[in-house]
Amino acid sequence: MDDCLLLDAGSGGRASQRLVSQCFLRHFANPLLERLDDAAELAPVRSPLAMSTDSYTVSPLFFPGGSIGTLAVHGTVNDVAMLGARPRWLTCAFILEEGLPLETLERVAKDMGEAAKSANVAIVTGDTKVVPLGACDKIFINTSGVGEIYAKPVPSGHAARPGDAVLVSGSLGDHGLTVMASREDLSFLTDVRSDSAPLADMVEAIITACGEVHTLRDPTRGGLATTLNEIAEQSGVGIRIDEAALPVHEAVRDGCSFLGLDPLYLANEGKLICILPADKADAALSAMRASPYGREAARIGTVTEGPAGQVALRTRIGGSRLLSMLEGAQLPRIC
């Protein structure tokens, strides 16, 4: 195990213990994890609780602005936060391929540890499996998160109401295009960078400033357009957005134009959609823009009576087109 991972690192024996102590405990250190019990005792815990789980298989493992390690923390932390909850704890499970350079695993673990610290969460329990060469692609990670809900009412995809304002916390499509550029070594896209970031503090600031927030979502796979379709279907409403109001970085817009992609369907890993009563929109925007991850926040549209489940885009030239849910995989393995 000096340079590469061997199968016995997943055997549960001394090699497993060495991997846990020399890599994971070093980067994830906290009192609950260091007990090395079969489960973590979470106390005190205030109910109600929010819980989420996600798995990460991004290729390449490292890209400008992040890595599979940062995604494994930010993605799950953000999902918990979208319920108006304060993320507290994460579990972490690795599936590792035999022959993986230990330097790569060390780098991933370091990124995860730093991301957890910045998000103010603790990785309290985990698991490691090592599979034969070819049985997986380098590293697969699963994280589950638990958080304490403080929002009243709890934001939900079912709660959008006609007349509500639709806000987004910043530029769209950065993560999806960055992963593609790194994967395909597209040298003309050197100005793009993943937006991977923890959003729980921003969410708390929004709820503190506004009180009533109807819906919060992070538009990851499928992007803004797909996520708005999901909300419109769940709430039985229509949503109308304005193309001229959408924040998209020039490098992303130009790259998408060249590659035939639509930034509205590209993944984001550090943005949120906020839907709330229109009279609270300005307060929510101020709260977003006070965060380092929300300086480009914008009001992009309105919830309508219907047609239920339909998302429409007002184009820059004054026309209108429907935004359907993503069909197929525009960019596979982006998170």
Side-chain angles (χ1 to χ4, degrees):
M1 276 181 56
D2 288 341
D3 299 309
C4 294
L5 202 65
L6 303 178
L7 280 173
D8 63 351
S11 67
R14 290 199 180 278
S16 296
Q17 292 179 350
R18 285 195 296 270
L19 181 64
V20 169
S21 63
Q22 295 173 13
C23 184
F24 301 131
L25 280 180
R26 188 152 64 88
H27 293 293
F28 304 165
N30 64 76
L32 288 175
L33 183 63
E34 288 162 359
R35 292 179 63 88
L36 294 179
D37 290 330
D38 284 347
E41 179 184 358
L42 306 180
V45 180
R46 297 178 182 177
S47 64
L49 299 177
M51 184 175 183
S52 185
T53 190
D54 207 344
S55 298
Y56 302 87
T57 68
V58 66
S59 176
L61 298 177
F62 306 97
F63 43 84
S67 70
I68 191 172
T70 62
L71 292 182
V73 173
H74 294 157
T76 298
V77 164
N78 291 346
D79 284 345
V80 170
M82 294 306 113
L83 218 60
R86 190 173 295 106
R88 294 282 307 276
W89 304 282
L90 291 178
T91 73
C92 176
F94 288 87
I95 298 178
L96 306 171
E97 185 181 33
E98 177 189 16
L100 176 74
L102 288 175
E103 180 183 9
T104 299
L105 181 58
E106 180 87 19
R107 185 176 168 189
V108 170
K110 181 175 183 290
D111 285 352
M112 288 188 69
E114 291 175 350
K117 184 177 181 180
S118 71
N120 198 29
V121 295
I123 300 172
V124 296
T125 189
D127 181 59
T128 303
K129 295 293 187 292
V130 182
V131 297
L133 185 67
C136 79
D137 186 5
K138 301 180 183 68
I139 300 178
F140 296 160
I141 303 175
N142 172 272
T143 51
S144 294
V146 176
E148 298 169 333
I149 295 175
Y150 57 85
K152 295 181 180 180
V154 176
S156 169
H158 296 269
R161 298 290 179 263
D164 282 353
V166 180
L167 317 179
V168 68
S169 65
S171 59
L172 303 169
D174 299 86
H175 176 73
L177 196 63
T178 298
V179 171
M180 181 178 183
S182 298
R183 182 183 302 166
E184 304 299 335
D185 195 24
L186 301 177
S187 58
F188 65 91
L189 289 176
T190 55
D191 292 336
V192 296
R193 183 178 179 84
S194 173
D195 60 342
S196 182
L199 300 177
D201 287 348
M202 183 195 297
V203 169
E204 189 163 357
I206 294 168
I207 292 174
T208 299
C210 301
E212 182 182 7
V213 175
H214 291 162
T215 303
L216 292 167
R217 283 288 177 85
D218 54 337
T220 52
R221 287 175 299 175
L224 176 76
T226 295
T227 307
L228 289 178
N229 270 275
E230 292 172 351
I231 295 168
E233 288 183 3
Q234 287 179 284
S235 294
V237 296
I239 297 177
R240 187 171 183 84
I241 61 174
D242 187 350
E243 184 177 28
L246 297 173
V248 180
H249 288 150
E250 185 177 355
V252 172
R253 194 184 306 278
D254 292 346
C256 286
S257 178
F258 184 83
L259 296 168
L261 301 173
D262 187 337
L264 299 186
Y265 291 93
L266 290 179
N268 311 274
E269 289 293 344
K271 300 297 185 303
L272 63 81
I273 297 166
C274 176
I275 298 177
L276 76 176
D279 62 356
K280 299 180 184 293
D282 288 342
L285 285 172
S286 294
M288 288 181 184
R289 291 168 181 164
S291 165
Y293 309 121
R295 291 169 181 159
E296 299 170 292
R299 180 172 180 172
I300 62 169
T302 303
V303 178
T304 65
E305 291 280 357
Q310 189 176 99
V311 179
L313 175 75
R314 185 178 185 276
T315 67
R316 292 177 183 275
I317 61 174
S320 182
R321 70 180 177 98
L322 294 181
L323 295 177
S324 60
M325 192 172 289
L326 177 67
E327 291 283 354
Q330 183 174 224
L331 292 178
R333 293 197 58 189
I334 44 83
C335 63

